Amino acid sequence: MHVLARTDYAVQAMLSLTARHPDLVKAATLAADQDIPLSFLQGILLDLKRAGLVHSQRGVDGGYHLARDAAEITVGDVVRAAGGALTTVRGLPTATTTYHGAATGLRDVWVAVEAAIEGVIDHKTLAELTALQHIEN
C-alpha cells in the first residue's frame, strides 16, 4: 500500500482533532500541530467534512471538530475520505483487474492484499490511536 501525503495528513489532522475533542480547532492550529501545509490541509478538511467525519463552524470563534465519537471513526474511514481506493493496480481499482493465462490467479493476490489492509485500518479507531499516544507519554 502506498500512503499518499494527503492520506497521511488526513489521519494526522483527525488524530489532532481527537486529542482536542470536544473543542473547536482552527485549521491553522491543526496545520501547526502536525506540520502540514495549511493550504493543503484546507482541501483535506473539506473532503473530511463531505465524508461526514468533521463538522465546521464559521466565524472568529469557529473551527473544526469531530462529527462522531472517535471510537466510531476508523483509520479506514479517514483513508477513504482522503484518498478513495485503498489499493489500485496500474491506477485502477483492484477488483476490476483482469489477467490472462499464467497470470490469471494474480487478481486474487491483489484482492487478498486489499482485504488484509482493510482488516487493519477498518478495525483501528481514532480513539484507540489517541489512547496509545497517552500510554507512550
Side-chain angles (χ1 to χ4, degrees), residues 3-97:
V3 179
L4 300 172
R6 178 179 190 78
T7 302
D8 190 41
Y9 288 157
V11 176
Q12 289 179 54
M14 290 295 286
L15 289 170
S16 285
L17 286 173
T18 299
R20 294 172 176 266
H21 185 73
D23 297 339
L24 284 173
V25 185
K26 295 190 179 305
T29 301
L30 292 171
D33 279 354
Q34 298 298 321
D35 199 25
I36 302 170
L38 179 58
S39 59
F40 197 33
L41 179 60
Q42 288 171 327
I44 293 167
L45 289 168
L46 185 58
D47 287 341
L48 295 171
K49 184 177 174 182
R50 285 183 189 137
L53 298 178
V54 300
H55 286 303
S56 65
Q57 181 176 317
R58 293 179 180 245
V60 175
D61 295 326
Y64 293 86
H65 63 94
L66 298 178
R68 302 191 314 250
D69 188 88
E72 298 174 6
I73 302 173
T74 67
V75 173
D77 294 331
V78 180
V79 168
R80 287 180 188 88
L86 296 179
T87 61
T88 60
V89 177
R90 296 183 314 270
L92 299 172
T94 304
T96 66
T97 59

